[in-house]
Amino acid sequence: MRQDYEMVIGLEVHVELKTATKIFCSCPTTFGAEPNTQCCPVCMGMPGTLPVLNEQVVEYAMKAGLALNCTIASYSKQDRKNYFYPDLPKAYQISQYDLPLCEHGYLDVEAEEGTRRVGITRIHIEEDAGKLIHDEQKGTLLDCNRCGVPLIEIVSEPDIRSSQEAKAYVQKLRSILLYTGVSDCKMNEGSLRCDVNLSVRKKGVKELGTRTEMKNLNSFQFIQKAIEYEFGRQVELLEKGEAIVQETRRFDQASGKTYSMRSKEDAQDYRYFPDPDLVPIRVLPSRLQAIQASIPILPDQRKKEYVQRYAISAHDAELLAADRATADYFEMAVGKTQYPKLLANLILSEIARHTDKEAIRIPINPGHMAMAAQLFGSGRINSGTAKRLVQMMWEDDRDPETLVVEEGLEQIQDPAILSAAAQEVIAENEKIVRDYVGGKKAAFQALVGQTMKKTKGKGDPAQIQEILRGLLDTK
């Protein structure tokens, strides 16, 4: 059934900006503080209080907009979005409605069919709501610390057609925002959250179906799982002749299913009107130029350079450029080796294995990493030793050439030594040899592995394979 339908996805990504204070008051934005210790009458919306816009919020929002190819409005305003929910003490949220700060951007993502351009409808600034905490003994509690934390909401066009594309879009978006420094994008702390709007339609049909919205997804895995389940649920309903209800749904991590929360509101339900306490936002051309000049080289530019200058594959270049710290590290090292592709492979495999957590510093001097790639590329060490060398330098950052000499790690290329090792392996593994002669090609790799073990991992793999084939062909 699924093959007859396609999903149409638009994403709303909420990003907390990395300001020291909130959007309309001087309360701090520190994550993890004791509940209700970082709020005041302004961010609680007490009668008689007046908000004052944090100028850095506007600058960060414009910086994000420019990095995402948006047009920045010279005139925009802030509006009150009215809704009644326990995590919103004042019963309205200050946001932007018909005159957002940023519009008409785009983001290019790598899809199975190649590069897909996803349009960005708008980016607007707004304040975050509080947080509900559900406790089995005490019931539902409200922490207002998050009230008034500055957000940008990045709204995409409905251009995404798969869960993989949705994941790639959010990953690329996060990468660009981290480059610009406007947010720490820590999904586990709620700094980046995604709402998925999804509808389905028969393939070839242009009219959009009824959409549902899945709220507050805070991991790439959950985004994919929620999309796949919701797509299947909607297809099943349509096949039964039942109607899709426009509603807001939540994704349950334990079951992997989505459940209805409430009916989905339309814009008129929020009764938007201009906030009477806040003046319009006017952007001077000189300020816009200064912000544009402050944007660093972004991932796509770096990716293009890595492919053209170093002949690195587009896939590896994308991975290298995705993280700013990793890209900076690569660029500090690459000028010191003749083997940029090997350097990239070591960084993407061995360094990445140690830096799967956020904000981990690479303790290996970039020059040492370049030398490891040089030793590997020149044939003085093999791939297994190169990986071992990175591990040794991670624990104790020393000159890799010195380590190779002191530890006796140089690759064995002497044909006599390798041939003797291969002959011993053949004599000791008669069954594996019979399997290979009998046509089981996988047995050959077992013999290669055994020979590498004989040489304590230092043998030249290419020579070992050549020698083994020569010996086995006489069997």
Side-chain angles (χ1 to χ4, degrees), residues 200-241:
V200 301
R201 63 187 177 189
K202 285 274 192 179
K203 288 182 177 178
V205 174
K206 292 186 177 181
E207 185 180 351
L208 294 173
T210 302
R211 66 186 172 90
T212 61
E213 180 182 37
M214 292 169 283
K215 297 287 288 184
N216 291 330
L217 299 167
N218 66 348
S219 86
F220 303 125
Q221 184 183 37
F222 295 159
I223 291 169
Q224 279 194 284
K225 286 185 175 181
I227 287 172
E228 291 297 336
Y229 175 82
E230 184 63 14
F231 175 59
R233 187 189 73 87
Q234 291 193 24
V235 168
E236 188 175 339
L237 287 175
L238 292 175
E239 284 293 305
K240 292 178 180 177

Tab-separated table of all heavy atoms in Angstrom, residues 200-241:
chain	number	residue	atom	x	y	z
A	200	VAL	N	-0.214	12.764	3.500
A	200	VAL	CA	0.072	11.796	2.436
A	200	VAL	C	-0.903	12.015	1.283
A	200	VAL	O	-1.993	12.568	1.467
A	200	VAL	CB	-0.031	10.333	2.942
A	200	VAL	CG1	0.948	10.092	4.075
A	200	VAL	CG2	-1.443	9.986	3.375
A	201	ARG	N	-0.487	11.580	0.117
A	201	ARG	CA	-1.338	11.665	-1.070
A	201	ARG	C	-0.912	10.571	-2.040
A	201	ARG	O	0.212	10.060	-1.971
A	201	ARG	CB	-1.218	13.037	-1.722
A	201	ARG	CG	0.171	13.361	-2.249
A	201	ARG	CD	0.279	14.797	-2.743
A	201	ARG	NE	1.631	15.111	-3.190
A	201	ARG	CZ	2.036	16.331	-3.507
A	201	ARG	NH1	1.202	17.372	-3.417
A	201	ARG	NH2	3.282	16.543	-3.917
A	202	LYS	N	-1.793	10.225	-2.936
A	202	LYS	CA	-1.460	9.264	-3.976
A	202	LYS	C	-0.349	9.847	-4.861
A	202	LYS	O	-0.334	11.043	-5.136
A	202	LYS	CB	-2.689	8.961	-4.842
A	202	LYS	CG	-3.720	8.066	-4.172
A	202	LYS	CD	-3.382	6.603	-4.367
A	202	LYS	CE	-4.544	5.706	-3.953
A	202	LYS	NZ	-4.231	4.273	-4.172
A	203	LYS	N	0.558	9.002	-5.272
A	203	LYS	CA	1.618	9.462	-6.151
A	203	LYS	C	1.030	10.013	-7.451
A	203	LYS	O	0.120	9.423	-8.022
A	203	LYS	CB	2.591	8.323	-6.453
A	203	LYS	CG	3.463	7.956	-5.262
A	203	LYS	CD	4.446	6.850	-5.594
A	203	LYS	CE	5.347	6.551	-4.401
A	203	LYS	NZ	6.291	5.442	-4.657
A	204	GLY	N	1.530	11.164	-7.868
A	204	GLY	CA	1.026	11.801	-9.084
A	204	GLY	C	-0.043	12.834	-8.822
A	204	GLY	O	-0.357	13.643	-9.693
A	205	VAL	N	-0.619	12.829	-7.604
A	205	VAL	CA	-1.649	13.808	-7.240
A	205	VAL	C	-0.967	15.068	-6.724
A	205	VAL	O	-0.024	14.998	-5.938
A	205	VAL	CB	-2.600	13.234	-6.171
A	205	VAL	CG1	-3.581	14.299	-5.686
A	205	VAL	CG2	-3.350	12.031	-6.731
A	206	LYS	N	-1.433	16.245	-7.158
A	206	LYS	CA	-0.819	17.502	-6.732
A	206	LYS	C	-1.450	18.067	-5.468
A	206	LYS	O	-0.804	18.766	-4.693
A	206	LYS	CB	-0.902	18.538	-7.859
A	206	LYS	CG	-0.023	18.187	-9.064
A	206	LYS	CD	-0.025	19.312	-10.077
A	206	LYS	CE	0.918	18.967	-11.234
A	206	LYS	NZ	0.959	20.058	-12.243
A	207	GLU	N	-2.731	17.775	-5.259
A	207	GLU	CA	-3.431	18.338	-4.101
A	207	GLU	C	-2.888	17.737	-2.807
A	207	GLU	O	-2.654	16.536	-2.702
A	207	GLU	CB	-4.937	18.038	-4.213
A	207	GLU	CG	-5.756	18.684	-3.108
A	207	GLU	CD	-7.230	18.360	-3.256
A	207	GLU	OE1	-7.612	17.785	-4.295
A	207	GLU	OE2	-7.989	18.685	-2.323
A	208	LEU	N	-2.676	18.596	-1.822
A	208	LEU	CA	-2.154	18.147	-0.536
A	208	LEU	C	-3.247	17.487	0.296
A	208	LEU	O	-4.418	17.893	0.247
A	208	LEU	CB	-1.581	19.333	0.244
A	208	LEU	CG	-0.336	20.008	-0.359
A	208	LEU	CD1	0.014	21.260	0.427
A	208	LEU	CD2	0.831	19.055	-0.388
A	209	GLY	N	-2.858	16.495	1.061
A	209	GLY	CA	-3.795	15.844	1.965
A	209	GLY	C	-3.908	16.593	3.283
A	209	GLY	O	-3.252	17.615	3.507
A	210	THR	N	-4.751	16.098	4.173
A	210	THR	CA	-4.904	16.695	5.504
A	210	THR	C	-3.669	16.363	6.332
A	210	THR	O	-3.242	15.210	6.398
A	210	THR	CB	-6.160	16.148	6.207
A	210	THR	OG1	-7.299	16.435	5.395
A	210	THR	CG2	-6.332	16.772	7.582
A	211	ARG	N	-3.096	17.353	6.972
A	211	ARG	CA	-1.839	17.143	7.685
A	211	ARG	C	-2.057	16.986	9.183
A	211	ARG	O	-3.022	17.493	9.756
A	211	ARG	CB	-0.874	18.303	7.440
A	211	ARG	CG	-1.337	19.640	8.015
A	211	ARG	CD	-0.391	20.759	7.606
A	211	ARG	NE	-0.910	22.070	7.975
A	211	ARG	CZ	-0.669	22.670	9.126
A	211	ARG	NH1	0.097	22.080	10.031
A	211	ARG	NH2	-1.182	23.859	9.390
A	212	THR	N	-1.126	16.285	9.773
A	212	THR	CA	-1.045	16.234	11.236
A	212	THR	C	0.297	16.838	11.632
A	212	THR	O	1.225	16.925	10.830
A	212	THR	CB	-1.132	14.798	11.772
A	212	THR	OG1	-0.037	14.035	11.252
A	212	THR	CG2	-2.438	14.141	11.362
A	213	GLU	N	0.375	17.259	12.887
A	213	GLU	CA	1.615	17.835	13.395
A	213	GLU	C	2.105	17.007	14.583
A	213	GLU	O	1.340	16.724	15.501
A	213	GLU	CB	1.402	19.289	13.839
A	213	GLU	CG	2.678	19.939	14.370
A	213	GLU	CD	2.449	21.365	14.849
A	213	GLU	OE1	1.376	21.626	15.427
A	213	GLU	OE2	3.342	22.204	14.664
A	214	MET	N	3.367	16.608	14.541
A	214	MET	CA	3.982	15.884	15.655
A	214	MET	C	4.943	16.823	16.359
A	214	MET	O	5.880	17.351	15.753
A	214	MET	CB	4.689	14.633	15.141
A	214	MET	CG	3.713	13.592	14.616
A	214	MET	SD	4.526	12.246	13.731
A	214	MET	CE	4.878	13.034	12.157
A	215	LYS	N	4.728	17.034	17.651
A	215	LYS	CA	5.382	18.113	18.393
A	215	LYS	C	6.654	17.661	19.094
A	215	LYS	O	6.767	16.539	19.578
A	215	LYS	CB	4.422	18.664	19.447
A	215	LYS	CG	3.161	19.305	18.899
A	215	LYS	CD	3.447	20.655	18.265
A	215	LYS	CE	3.764	21.723	19.290
A	215	LYS	NZ	3.938	23.051	18.656
A	216	ASN	N	7.587	18.610	19.181
A	216	ASN	CA	8.740	18.557	20.085
A	216	ASN	C	9.574	17.280	19.979
A	216	ASN	O	9.845	16.621	20.983
A	216	ASN	CB	8.271	18.747	21.528
A	216	ASN	CG	7.783	20.167	21.784
A	216	ASN	OD1	8.251	21.122	21.158
A	216	ASN	ND2	6.837	20.299	22.692
A	217	LEU	N	9.991	16.948	18.778
A	217	LEU	CA	10.900	15.818	18.587
A	217	LEU	C	12.334	16.326	18.765
A	217	LEU	O	12.734	17.293	18.112
A	217	LEU	CB	10.707	15.220	17.194
A	217	LEU	CG	9.292	14.686	16.938
A	217	LEU	CD1	9.079	14.396	15.459
A	217	LEU	CD2	9.023	13.439	17.758
A	218	ASN	N	13.090	15.676	19.638
A	218	ASN	CA	14.401	16.232	20.004
A	218	ASN	C	15.574	15.287	19.727
A	218	ASN	O	16.588	15.334	20.409
A	218	ASN	CB	14.413	16.674	21.473
A	218	ASN	CG	14.268	15.507	22.422
A	218	ASN	OD1	13.937	14.404	22.005
A	218	ASN	ND2	14.528	15.739	23.694
A	219	SER	N	15.410	14.403	18.732
A	219	SER	CA	16.544	13.611	18.263
A	219	SER	C	16.298	13.233	16.809
A	219	SER	O	15.149	13.141	16.362
A	219	SER	CB	16.747	12.361	19.119
A	219	SER	OG	15.945	11.291	18.667
A	220	PHE	N	17.397	13.031	16.087
A	220	PHE	CA	17.273	12.657	14.674
A	220	PHE	C	16.562	11.317	14.535
A	220	PHE	O	15.753	11.105	13.627
A	220	PHE	CB	18.660	12.572	14.031
A	220	PHE	CG	19.457	13.846	14.134
A	220	PHE	CD1	20.728	13.849	14.687
A	220	PHE	CD2	18.934	15.052	13.683
A	220	PHE	CE1	21.465	15.016	14.783
A	220	PHE	CE2	19.653	16.228	13.782
A	220	PHE	CZ	20.923	16.206	14.335
A	221	GLN	N	16.846	10.407	15.444
A	221	GLN	CA	16.228	9.084	15.405
A	221	GLN	C	14.725	9.184	15.617
A	221	GLN	O	13.944	8.539	14.908
A	221	GLN	CB	16.857	8.192	16.474
A	221	GLN	CG	16.342	6.755	16.464
A	221	GLN	CD	16.943	5.923	17.577
A	221	GLN	OE1	17.160	6.416	18.685
A	221	GLN	NE2	17.212	4.660	17.307
A	222	PHE	N	14.300	10.003	16.579
A	222	PHE	CA	12.870	10.138	16.848
A	222	PHE	C	12.150	10.789	15.672
A	222	PHE	O	11.003	10.445	15.368
A	222	PHE	CB	12.633	10.954	18.123
A	222	PHE	CG	13.145	10.288	19.373
A	222	PHE	CD1	13.406	11.036	20.517
A	222	PHE	CD2	13.372	8.918	19.414
A	222	PHE	CE1	13.865	10.423	21.670
A	222	PHE	CE2	13.837	8.305	20.570
A	222	PHE	CZ	14.088	9.057	21.701
A	223	ILE	N	12.799	11.738	15.021
A	223	ILE	CA	12.195	12.381	13.848
A	223	ILE	C	11.904	11.334	12.781
A	223	ILE	O	10.793	11.272	12.229
A	223	ILE	CB	13.121	13.486	13.300
A	223	ILE	CG1	13.181	14.667	14.272
A	223	ILE	CG2	12.650	13.954	11.921
A	223	ILE	CD1	14.265	15.676	13.949
A	224	GLN	N	12.883	10.482	12.495
A	224	GLN	CA	12.693	9.445	11.482
A	224	GLN	C	11.605	8.456	11.880
A	224	GLN	O	10.732	8.108	11.078
A	224	GLN	CB	14.005	8.704	11.242
A	224	GLN	CG	14.965	9.426	10.324
A	224	GLN	CD	16.080	8.517	9.848
A	224	GLN	OE1	17.005	8.229	10.590
A	224	GLN	NE2	15.998	8.073	8.612
A	225	LYS	N	11.659	7.984	13.119
A	225	LYS	CA	10.695	6.981	13.573
A	225	LYS	C	9.281	7.536	13.585
A	225	LYS	O	8.324	6.849	13.187
A	225	LYS	CB	11.083	6.474	14.963
A	225	LYS	CG	12.290	5.549	14.965
A	225	LYS	CD	12.544	4.981	16.350
A	225	LYS	CE	13.672	3.957	16.322
A	225	LYS	NZ	13.913	3.377	17.674
A	226	ALA	N	9.117	8.765	14.043
A	226	ALA	CA	7.785	9.369	14.088
A	226	ALA	C	7.209	9.520	12.683
A	226	ALA	O	6.025	9.251	12.441
A	226	ALA	CB	7.852	10.730	14.791
A	227	ILE	N	8.037	9.931	11.734
A	227	ILE	CA	7.582	10.102	10.349
A	227	ILE	C	7.155	8.771	9.748
A	227	ILE	O	6.093	8.664	9.123
A	227	ILE	CB	8.699	10.761	9.506
A	227	ILE	CG1	8.837	12.238	9.883
A	227	ILE	CG2	8.399	10.619	8.010
A	227	ILE	CD1	10.036	12.924	9.257
A	228	GLU	N	7.967	7.738	9.932
A	228	GLU	CA	7.648	6.434	9.357
A	228	GLU	C	6.352	5.874	9.928
A	228	GLU	O	5.516	5.328	9.195
A	228	GLU	CB	8.811	5.453	9.596
A	228	GLU	CG	10.075	5.770	8.817
A	228	GLU	CD	9.884	5.682	7.315
A	228	GLU	OE1	8.975	4.969	6.860
A	228	GLU	OE2	10.645	6.356	6.585
A	229	TYR	N	6.172	6.017	11.245
A	229	TYR	CA	4.941	5.485	11.838
A	229	TYR	C	3.725	6.276	11.355
A	229	TYR	O	2.692	5.694	10.981
A	229	TYR	CB	5.000	5.545	13.370
A	229	TYR	CG	3.695	5.112	13.992
A	229	TYR	CD1	3.396	3.761	14.156
A	229	TYR	CD2	2.722	6.045	14.357
A	229	TYR	CE1	2.186	3.346	14.676
A	229	TYR	CE2	1.493	5.640	14.878
A	229	TYR	CZ	1.236	4.296	15.041
A	229	TYR	OH	0.024	3.887	15.544
A	230	GLU	N	3.841	7.609	11.371
A	230	GLU	CA	2.691	8.436	11.005
A	230	GLU	C	2.312	8.250	9.544
A	230	GLU	O	1.125	8.250	9.186
A	230	GLU	CB	2.987	9.904	11.313
A	230	GLU	CG	1.842	10.864	11.059
A	230	GLU	CD	0.612	10.606	11.923
A	230	GLU	OE1	0.702	9.847	12.915
A	230	GLU	OE2	-0.458	11.169	11.585
A	231	PHE	N	3.296	8.081	8.685
A	231	PHE	CA	3.022	7.815	7.270
A	231	PHE	C	2.218	6.527	7.120
A	231	PHE	O	1.183	6.486	6.435
A	231	PHE	CB	4.345	7.713	6.505
A	231	PHE	CG	4.188	7.319	5.056
A	231	PHE	CD1	3.435	8.084	4.179
A	231	PHE	CD2	4.814	6.175	4.568
A	231	PHE	CE1	3.309	7.720	2.849
A	231	PHE	CE2	4.687	5.803	3.242
A	231	PHE	CZ	3.932	6.579	2.371
A	232	GLY	N	2.657	5.469	7.798
A	232	GLY	CA	1.942	4.196	7.731
A	232	GLY	C	0.535	4.299	8.295
A	232	GLY	O	-0.412	3.717	7.747
A	233	ARG	N	0.383	5.062	9.387
A	233	ARG	CA	-0.944	5.213	10.007
A	233	ARG	C	-1.909	5.920	9.062
A	233	ARG	O	-3.061	5.495	8.894
A	233	ARG	CB	-0.806	6.013	11.308
A	233	ARG	CG	-2.085	6.100	12.136
A	233	ARG	CD	-1.929	7.075	13.287
A	233	ARG	NE	-1.927	8.462	12.818
A	233	ARG	CZ	-3.035	9.185	12.637
A	233	ARG	NH1	-4.233	8.660	12.882
A	233	ARG	NH2	-2.949	10.434	12.218
A	234	GLN	N	-1.443	6.987	8.417
A	234	GLN	CA	-2.326	7.731	7.517
A	234	GLN	C	-2.678	6.921	6.268
A	234	GLN	O	-3.822	6.953	5.805
A	234	GLN	CB	-1.676	9.064	7.138
A	234	GLN	CG	-1.585	10.048	8.301
A	234	GLN	CD	-1.229	11.457	7.848
A	234	GLN	OE1	-1.462	11.834	6.699
A	234	GLN	NE2	-0.673	12.239	8.749
A	235	VAL	N	-1.700	6.203	5.731
A	235	VAL	CA	-1.982	5.367	4.554
A	235	VAL	C	-3.028	4.315	4.898
A	235	VAL	O	-3.977	4.065	4.132
A	235	VAL	CB	-0.686	4.695	4.043
A	235	VAL	CG1	-1.016	3.606	3.019
A	235	VAL	CG2	0.244	5.732	3.431
A	236	GLU	N	-2.891	3.703	6.050
A	236	GLU	CA	-3.840	2.672	6.470
A	236	GLU	C	-5.252	3.230	6.598
A	236	GLU	O	-6.233	2.603	6.168
A	236	GLU	CB	-3.380	2.082	7.810
A	236	GLU	CG	-4.185	0.862	8.237
A	236	GLU	CD	-3.642	0.221	9.497
A	236	GLU	OE1	-2.456	0.436	9.821
A	236	GLU	OE2	-4.414	-0.490	10.161
A	237	LEU	N	-5.377	4.445	7.156
A	237	LEU	CA	-6.699	5.059	7.282
A	237	LEU	C	-7.306	5.353	5.912
A	237	LEU	O	-8.497	5.091	5.676
A	237	LEU	CB	-6.593	6.364	8.091
A	237	LEU	CG	-6.360	6.225	9.599
A	237	LEU	CD1	-6.155	7.587	10.236
A	237	LEU	CD2	-7.554	5.525	10.263
A	238	LEU	N	-6.505	5.886	5.010
A	238	LEU	CA	-7.013	6.208	3.674
A	238	LEU	C	-7.437	4.950	2.920
A	238	LEU	O	-8.441	4.955	2.198
A	238	LEU	CB	-5.951	6.974	2.878
A	238	LEU	CG	-5.638	8.387	3.382
A	238	LEU	CD1	-4.480	8.989	2.597
A	238	LEU	CD2	-6.863	9.296	3.285
A	239	GLU	N	-6.694	3.876	3.086
A	239	GLU	CA	-7.038	2.620	2.424
A	239	GLU	C	-8.351	2.048	2.958
A	239	GLU	O	-9.069	1.349	2.251
A	239	GLU	CB	-5.909	1.603	2.611
A	239	GLU	CG	-4.692	1.854	1.734
A	239	GLU	CD	-5.007	1.649	0.261
A	239	GLU	OE1	-5.494	0.557	-0.100
A	239	GLU	OE2	-4.777	2.593	-0.538
A	240	LYS	N	-8.650	2.374	4.204
A	240	LYS	CA	-9.918	1.937	4.790
A	240	LYS	C	-11.078	2.866	4.442
A	240	LYS	O	-12.224	2.617	4.821
A	240	LYS	CB	-9.796	1.861	6.315
A	240	LYS	CG	-8.882	0.758	6.825
A	240	LYS	CD	-8.794	0.820	8.347
A	240	LYS	CE	-7.890	-0.261	8.919
A	240	LYS	NZ	-7.767	-0.138	10.406
A	241	GLY	N	-10.769	3.953	3.753
A	241	GLY	CA	-11.809	4.921	3.408
A	241	GLY	C	-12.110	5.897	4.521
A	241	GLY	O	-13.120	6.612	4.470
